[in-house]
Every structure is written in structure tokens, then in C-alpha cells.
Amino acid sequence: IFKDAEIDLIGDNKYGANNLFEYDSDIDGVYTSRPNKKYDIVLNPFLGGGWLFGLKMKLIRFSSTVISHNFRVHSLKDKVKHLLYSLFRLPRVELDLTKHESVNYLNLLTPMGINDTQFKYSELTCLKLLNRLNDITKKYTLPDQYITIQLGAANNNLNPKIWPIKKWLDVIEQGL
């Protein structure tokens, strides 16, 4: 979609996930803190920098488009967040808790006219990363085609978050 775009990722790396992007030629930079750059478009997912990150990115470059996931308006603090986002005309996308977070991340593109149904998940994964993973798995006896799923993300927590199996089956059916 944005073939000539420079794409940076800004996020925490406490579990080493950023290392995966060294294989992705579409990613230009991976940062654990905000670099001294001005961006045209900032996608701010609910697990990203949060509402304050989105607001800071808008203030750094007022002409930029900053799109965040919507947050629930319950407390006075939430109402202030909502008011600030409205005041700075920051588009928000509703978080759909019935869908996997990867679908919710793609939905951040909807204010730009891009719908998640335009994508095939198998085409979104970096080929270099897939080749590296395939090289690693060759030492095991696996069929030519297989699906690998991490059902829970414990991240060293005693009570890991686990998405319901039915939801994973839906994702698999959509991906095939």
C-alpha cells in the first residue's frame, strides 16, 4: 500500500519481539524510545504508547495524522482524554474485543480508506522472516504446510493471558 514509505516501529522490547523485525525489509527502524523524527502518519494501537503518546506525536508535528484506538469514557480522566483528542481532531478507531489484536491493529488504517478485508494475512508476513523460521524448523519432521500458533502470551507472568480457542479457530479459517 505504501511501497515507498519509511516505516519505523517504536515500542518496548522487554520480551525481544523487536528482534524479529531485523528480517523485515519493510521496516526501516525499530526504536525503544521515541526518536527525534517528525512523522506524517502515526498509528497508535491500544497496546502502543497510549493516549499521551498519540497526543505528543501530534504536538511534535501538528500536520501529521495520528490515529489511535478509542478508549472508554468512564472517569473524569477519560473524559479529559476524549476532549483533548477531539480538540486536536485525532481520529480514533473503535477497538473490537471480539477480534484478535492483529485485526485491531490493521483497523487503524480505516480512517485512510484501507479496510482489513483487503489483506490476506499470509501475504503480510515478511518473506525473509518466514524463510528463517522455515530453516530452523527443517530439523523437525513437519508437513510441507503447517500453522504455528502461540495460544497464550505469559511473558513471565503467573497468570498468562489466553485467548479462547474458538477465537483462534476463527482466525485460522480467515487466514486460509
Side-chain angles (χ1 to χ4, degrees), residues 14-15 150 152-162:
K14 62 183 170 185
Y15 302 112
Q150 177 188 355
N155 296 335
N156 298 323
N157 292 320
L158 292 176
N159 297 316
K161 58 181 181 179
I162 299 175

Side-chain angles (χ1 to χ4, degrees), residues 101-110 114 116 119 121 124:
E101 62 190 60
S102 60
V103 174
N104 278 297
Y105 291 161
L106 282 174
N107 284 342
L108 287 172
L109 300 171
T110 54
I114 302 167
D116 72 84
F119 300 105
Y121 281 94
L124 294 176

Side-chain angles (χ1 to χ4, degrees), residues 14 21 29 47 51 57 59 92 106 112 127 129 151 156:
K14 62 183 170 185
F21 294 105
L47 288 177
W51 75 275
M57 295 305 283
L59 292 173
R92 293 176 303 270
L106 282 174
M112 296 186 294
L127 188 58
L129 176 60
L151 293 180
N156 298 323

Side-chain angles (χ1 to χ4, degrees), residues 71 80-90 92:
F71 38 83
V80 170
K81 291 179 201 177
H82 186 77
L83 179 65
L84 286 169
Y85 263 57
S86 297
L87 185 67
F88 287 100
R89 292 187 176 97
L90 296 172
R92 293 176 303 270

Side-chain angles (χ1 to χ4, degrees), residues 24-171:
D24 194 331
S25 59
D26 291 328
I27 305 299
D28 295 294
V30 179
Y31 303 95
T32 54
S33 60
R34 187 182 50 77
N36 190 18
K37 291 176 143 184
K38 294 181 179 181
Y39 293 96
D40 295 318
I41 300 171
V42 176
L43 303 177
N44 184 32
F46 72 104
L47 288 177
W51 75 275
L52 193 54
F53 176 80
L55 192 58
K56 285 179 185 177
M57 295 305 283
K58 183 67 172 181
L59 292 173
I60 288 169
R61 184 173 189 175
F62 204 73
S63 64
S64 66
T65 300
V66 178
I67 305 169
S68 297
H69 278 120
N70 209 2
F71 38 83
R72 294 187 178 98
V73 181
H74 296 294
S75 67
L76 179 60
K77 183 179 177 182
D78 291 337
K79 290 177 183 178
V80 170
K81 291 179 201 177
H82 186 77
L83 179 65
L84 286 169
Y85 263 57
S86 297
L87 185 67
F88 287 100
R89 292 187 176 97
L90 296 172
R92 293 176 303 270
V93 174
E94 197 63 39
L95 190 62
D96 186 345
L97 297 176
T98 65
K99 293 187 177 181
H100 190 265
E101 62 190 60
S102 60
V103 174
N104 278 297
Y105 291 161
L106 282 174
N107 284 342
L108 287 172
L109 300 171
T110 54
M112 296 186 294
I114 302 167
N115 188 306
D116 72 84
T117 58
Q118 294 173 259
F119 300 105
K120 263 185 94 172
Y121 281 94
S122 60
E123 295 171 358
L124 294 176
T125 306
C126 168
L127 188 58
K128 192 173 179 183
L129 176 60
L130 283 178
N131 288 338
R132 174 77 176 116
L133 293 173
N134 284 333
D135 287 344
I136 292 170
T137 57
K138 282 181 184 172
K139 59 184 169 185
Y140 303 100
T141 306
L142 295 170
D144 289 338
Q145 294 185 344
Y146 57 92
I147 297 173
T148 304
I149 297 175
Q150 177 188 355
L151 293 180
N155 296 335
N156 298 323
N157 292 320
L158 292 176
N159 297 316
K161 58 181 181 179
I162 299 175
W163 213 40
I165 298 294
K166 170 70 175 103
K167 301 287 187 187
W168 282 110
L169 293 172
D170 293 342
V171 169

